[in-house]
Amino acid sequence: MFTAAEVGAALPGSGRTRDAPEELQVAAQAVRTRRPAEPGGRAAAAAAAVPPLGPACGERAYCLSVILNMGGAVSAGEDNDELIDNLKEAQYIRTELVEQAFRAIDRADYYLEEFKENAYKDLAWKHGNIHLSAPCIYSEVMEALDLQPGLSFLNLGSGTGYLSSMVGLILGPFGVNHGVELHSDVIEYAKQKLDFFIRTSDSFDKFDFCEPSFVTGNCLEISPDCSQYDRVYCGAGVQKEHEEYMKNLLKVGGILVMPLEEKLTKITRTGPSAWETKKILAVSFAPLIQPCHSESGKSRLVQLPPVAVRSLQDLARIAIRGTIKKVIHQETVSKNGNGLKNTPRFKRRRVRRRRMETIVFLDKEVFASRISNPSDDNSCEDLEEERREEEEKTPPETKPDPPVNFLRQKVLSLPLPDPLKYYLLYYREK
């Protein structure tokens, strides 16, 4: 798999085409000319290694749709944070809200155990009915949706719930987060993953979460009297004849993102019958499954969850947790200055660089040596003592301490009955 940078360098006009491997040159030429490679030929094999080149590269942003479906736009990460770093570097993640949501939920948690080794690769994953799109696709979708706290969101083909959960971190406690999924076994899988996230993830306490609700059914059979939404995403290829149906799910001012005619498309409803359409990038999604009518010839309408009205008790819990978070933030700011410093993943050992006062060039080799002066003490004993002192000053390589859930600590320290403390913590395990 070639990286986006390698493909960009191999494109004609980059100045580095001659240095690229022949297979990469062939693939880059196929991208530039936008002509499909001959089936079974070398160009086809090379094109299979070409990832999308990013949304801000003009002509170079074009990519083969079959590759987009698989992903491969960025390098694989060792962990979730490194994957997000790579997506940021490639400009797939461009805003802080989206970055925070991606970092808060570990993609590997939505994989089956035996497939987790592939979780941090920029590739789609499918096992039976369970499916996850490539991280680069989810990044583009999240950015295009322009999510804000308090909005309503409808996920058509909600799958594992990975995207819905990330969206829920941005929508906050007063948003609406609904999903429709065709397969009942996938709904159960999504509910298990959601329950695991709520019970065990520290990210649940760092954010105000809008918990998604999932219903089983075909998203082309949504009841016509359902509420409209501020944001809608469809995770399957939409045929042209269903475009108006999808648009009607939007409120005025809302945004719809869906694969339409092999392009990831953003549609904004600017008025009751006015729309703005923007093609984001080429993709290849499996098409929406057409509804199966019952014996009577009527379709089975999908009833979306009602918009829940929170109880006074629940509103009080949200307010108390919010107040405690503000107190924690203020304490952190007063302690650390701005409260925004990130702990490095590893403490790097300082490498002592000795000053070289003379550099001698001889043919193609370079020799560097230190020239003594009257103030230098070159005895072996002094050098050895200097080395030991430096080693004592240098901290050993250590992994950072596990993250601390300050909200949980604060709640448990309150002079309240235990049942009330656990209610404030949503009865979470840790």
Side-chain angles (χ1 to χ4, degrees), residues 173-178 211 213 227 304-311 314-315:
F174 304 113
V176 175
N177 194 355
H178 293 163
E211 184 175 338
S213 299
S227 300
L304 295 175
V307 177
V309 178
R310 292 187 178 273
S311 66
D314 194 18
L315 291 173

Side-chain angles (χ1 to χ4, degrees), residues 7 106 254 386 398:
V7 177
D106 195 322
E386 185 181 355
T398 57

Side-chain angles (χ1 to χ4, degrees), residues 149-278:
L151 296 181
S152 57
F153 172 67
L154 177 61
N155 189 355
L156 303 175
S158 51
T160 65
Y162 173 63
L163 178 66
S164 293
S165 293
M166 288 195 294
V167 169
L169 296 175
I170 298 177
L171 297 182
F174 304 113
V176 175
N177 194 355
H178 293 163
V180 180
E181 170 57 44
L182 181 64
H183 304 288
S184 58
D185 59 326
V186 180
I187 289 277
E188 289 304 312
Y189 186 85
K191 289 180 177 178
Q192 292 172 14
K193 296 302 180 183
L194 175 62
D195 180 65
F196 179 79
F197 169 73
I198 292 175
R199 286 188 296 104
T200 66
S201 175
D202 283 339
S203 295
F204 181 84
D205 283 335
K206 293 177 182 177
F207 294 79
D208 294 318
F209 187 51
C210 180
E211 184 175 338
S213 299
F214 305 113
V215 296
T216 306
N218 190 306
C219 65
L220 294 175
E221 297 180 306
I222 293 175
S223 176
D225 59 354
C226 77
S227 300
Q228 293 177 316
Y229 291 79
D230 298 302
R231 301 291 186 267
V232 178
Y233 170 64
C234 181
V238 177
Q239 293 85 354
K240 189 67 176 177
E241 60 265 27
H242 298 308
E243 181 179 357
E244 290 301 319
Y245 169 88
M246 294 292 177
K247 288 179 176 180
N248 288 329
L249 297 172
L250 273 185
K251 293 179 180 179
V252 174
I255 295 174
L256 164 66
V257 177
M258 62 180 178
L260 181 66
E261 296 184 316
E262 300 298 311
K263 297 288 192 301
L264 190 63
T265 305
K266 175 181 178 179
I267 299 176
T268 304
R269 188 168 192 171
T270 57
S273 56
W275 316 85
E276 288 182 357
T277 301
K278 177 184 177 182

Side-chain angles (χ1 to χ4, degrees), residues 17-165:
T17 305
R18 292 182 179 179
D19 298 331
E22 185 177 356
E23 293 82 359
L24 181 54
Q25 293 184 41
V26 173
Q29 182 64 28
V31 169
R32 186 182 188 281
T33 59
R34 308 190 183 193
R35 290 196 299 267
E38 294 181 6
R42 292 183 62 202
V50 181
L53 300 180
C57 299
E59 182 183 60
R60 299 185 185 189
Y62 178 78
C63 59
L64 301 176
S65 61
V66 65
I67 305 307
L68 238 307
N69 185 43
M70 296 173 60
V74 299
S75 302
E78 291 292 329
D79 55 25
N80 195 67
D81 276 327
E82 189 172 330
L83 173 62
I84 307 312
D85 291 342
N86 295 339
L87 290 168
K88 277 190 66 182
E89 185 178 357
Q91 290 292 300
Y92 282 95
I93 294 178
R94 301 179 289 278
T95 59
E96 186 178 353
L97 276 178
V98 172
E99 179 187 352
Q100 289 176 350
F102 268 86
R103 291 194 190 279
I105 297 183
D106 195 322
R107 180 175 168 90
D109 289 341
Y110 289 79
Y111 273 66
L112 292 171
E113 193 65 37
E114 59 267 33
F115 299 103
K116 285 190 174 183
E117 62 182 15
N118 296 318
Y120 307 123
K121 297 177 181 178
D122 188 29
L123 298 172
W125 172 64
K126 182 174 176 59
H127 181 77
N129 292 326
I130 302 171
H131 176 264
L132 279 169
S133 292
C136 65
I137 298 297
Y138 283 135
S139 304
E140 287 289 0
V141 169
M142 291 278 285
E143 293 287 357
L145 285 171
D146 190 20
L147 297 160
Q148 302 295 331
L151 296 181
S152 57
F153 172 67
L154 177 61
N155 189 355
L156 303 175
S158 51
T160 65
Y162 173 63
L163 178 66
S164 293
S165 293

Side-chain angles (χ1 to χ4, degrees), residues 324 328 332 404-411:
I324 295 174
I328 294 171
T332 305
V404 179
N405 189 329
F406 293 106
L407 177 66
R408 184 178 184 86
Q409 286 185 351
K410 207 76 169 178
V411 169

Side-chain angles (χ1 to χ4, degrees), residues 288-359:
L288 284 171
I289 295 177
Q290 299 302 307
C292 296
H293 296 286
S294 61
E295 294 179 358
S296 61
K298 296 181 179 180
S299 60
R300 295 179 289 272
L301 293 181
V302 176
Q303 300 294 333
L304 295 175
V307 177
V309 178
R310 292 187 178 273
S311 66
L312 182 60
Q313 185 177 359
D314 194 18
L315 291 173
R317 173 167 59 181
I318 293 170
I320 293 171
R321 285 169 63 93
T323 301
I324 295 174
K325 288 179 182 179
K326 289 180 181 177
V327 170
I328 294 171
H329 178 71
Q330 290 170 356
E331 291 176 350
T332 305
V333 169
S334 62
K335 182 178 179 181
N336 298 336
N338 59 14
L340 299 176
K341 295 179 180 178
N342 293 323
T343 304
R345 295 183 197 168
F346 294 94
K347 294 182 179 179
R348 297 178 179 270
R349 290 186 61 185
R350 290 187 302 153
V351 179
R352 188 163 187 260
R353 303 180 185 276
R354 295 187 179 274
R355 183 164 54 95
M356 296 297 178
E357 295 180 334
T358 301
I359 301 177

